[in-house]
Amino acid sequence: MNSIQKTNLGSQGLVVPVMGLGCMSMTKIAGYDTYGQADETEAIATIHRSLELGGNFLDTADLYGPLENERLIAKAIKGNRDSYIIASKFGYEIDDNEQMTWAINGKPDYVKKAVERSLKNLGTDYIDLYYLHRLDPNTPIEDTVGAMGELVKEGKIGYIGLSEVSSATIRKAHQVHPLTAVQTEYSLFERTVEESGVLATLAELGIGFVAYSPLGRGFISGDVTIKSPDDFPADDFRRHIPRFQGEMFYKNLELVEAIKKLASQKDMTVAQLALAWVLSKDIVPIPGTKRRKYVEQNLAAASITLTPEDIQQLEAIVPLGTPTGDRYDAGTMATIDQ
């Protein structure tokens, strides 16, 4: 195995590679392809290639599929479970017929039900890092995290995380059981956690930060085939995201072009430059891909060191506070704890 640099994620003892692998796009979500069609054989080969390069930190969730993503990971890691660090998430309620109800459920009895289902689907008896996917507005966070703490005592999960939560929620949760990580969208195009003070709260409490969609949901990947919002397949969920709609799409495309020029001057891909920027913040990005070619390119970014001048140039293209469009439709934005 190649040695990609490792880092402490938070201060509770979890050590991970500086970059993980987001597995969401390897299966559909509620009938939608994410970032184009997936191929199971190539997806599993991508997980294996990532491991060969030292990228053994996999990120999934019971929502993805639903449940199919965890089952795919089970196939990929079979016979080699202990070589991987597995993160999964729960909270989007899935009924006994494996259907999404689209309610958020953080009740203690559901926490226990969800983890047993995920353990079974992943083919393992422990999950390294277990996140609440979204805050349940009807259940105190103390109750949810209390139940997650019980799972740590039982050895079913190693560490606790939350996703898309505010500083106030983080503080309340951390008092019940120490948090290891918070996961939120973060990229050159999405820096709300900086503006809202969440990153400062995490630094103060010794909690790690994991950045999902560090390539702006593919916008900063330099994908030359996407020239207009109509270029997305009919079932691509990005059609529903404001960042990819109307005038905002074309404004963002201009920003990408400027980033692309800078990347070509430095003899790297746009994606590598964007990932190196996230890494420069001591944040663990989990770029998603389902192809070996891209996992190789992404992990290569872990060996890139940007100078203060490089960072300044990039941040001058997309200064903090630049409007790039909401990261979800209005209904989903309403579920985010801000």
Side-chain angles (χ1 to χ4, degrees), residues 24-39:
M24 181 182 82
S25 67
M26 294 178 179
T27 49
K28 290 177 185 275
I29 294 186
Y32 280 97
D33 276 317
T34 50
Y35 315 114
Q37 212 169 354
D39 172 80

Side-chain angles (χ1 to χ4, degrees), residues 10-27:
S11 52
Q12 302 305 311
L14 182 59
V15 178
V16 299
V18 293
M19 190 184 300
L21 172 59
C23 297
M24 181 182 82
S25 67
M26 294 178 179
T27 49

Side-chain angles (χ1 to χ4, degrees), residues 20-27 34-35 38 42-44 46-47 50 58-59 69 72 215 286-299:
L21 172 59
C23 297
M24 181 182 82
S25 67
M26 294 178 179
T27 49
T34 50
Y35 315 114
E42 179 63 17
I44 289 171
T46 300
I47 290 171
S50 187
L58 306 181
D59 186 272
N69 205 273
L72 179 138
L215 299 175
I286 48 167
T289 185
K290 51 190 167 224
R291 294 185 181 89
R292 282 169 283 185
K293 178 175 90 167
Y294 294 121
V295 88
E296 288 167 358
Q297 285 180 18
N298 291 346
L299 288 171

Side-chain angles (χ1 to χ4, degrees), residues 127-150:
I127 294 168
D128 298 277
L129 174 59
Y130 199 46
Y131 295 94
L132 174 64
H133 210 150
R134 292 290 185 273
L135 182 67
D136 176 356
N138 302 310
T139 304
I141 189 63
E142 294 89 340
D143 293 358
T144 306
V145 172
M148 294 170 82
E150 291 297 318

Side-chain angles (χ1 to χ4, degrees), residues 8 17 24 41 46 59 69 89 127 145 161 164 168 183-184 195 234 251 271 293 297 319 325 331 335:
N8 290 306
M24 181 182 82
T41 306
T46 300
D59 186 272
N69 205 273
K89 314 176 205 71
I127 294 168
V145 172
E164 292 283 8
Q183 181 180 140
T184 299
E195 296 170 291
K251 283 183 181 170
K293 178 175 90 167
Q297 285 180 18
T335 70

Side-chain angles (χ1 to χ4, degrees), residues 69-124:
N69 205 273
E70 290 180 329
R71 290 169 183 158
L72 179 138
I73 285 173
K75 290 180 189 176
I77 67 173
K78 193 171 183 183
N80 200 18
R81 162 67 182 99
D82 291 348
S83 295
Y84 292 91
I85 301 162
I86 307 287
S88 194
K89 314 176 205 71
F90 76 96
Y92 281 98
E93 190 179 75
I94 301 164
D95 67 20
D96 293 337
N97 298 314
E98 302 189 352
Q99 299 301 307
M100 303 294 307
T101 70
W102 294 108
I104 307 288
N105 192 339
K107 293 183 179 69
D109 60 342
Y110 187 73
V111 175
K112 289 168 185 165
K113 182 177 180 175
V115 81
E116 293 300 341
R117 184 171 54 205
S118 283
L119 289 169
K120 184 180 169 195
N121 285 328
L122 286 162
T124 185

Side-chain angles (χ1 to χ4, degrees), residues 38-68:
D39 172 80
E40 185 177 284
T41 306
E42 179 63 17
I44 289 171
T46 300
I47 290 171
H48 292 164
R49 182 64 181 137
S50 187
L51 178 68
E52 284 170 13
L53 297 169
N56 65 336
F57 181 31
L58 306 181
D59 186 272
T60 184
D62 59 8
L63 164 69
Y64 308 156
L67 310 182
E68 292 304 323

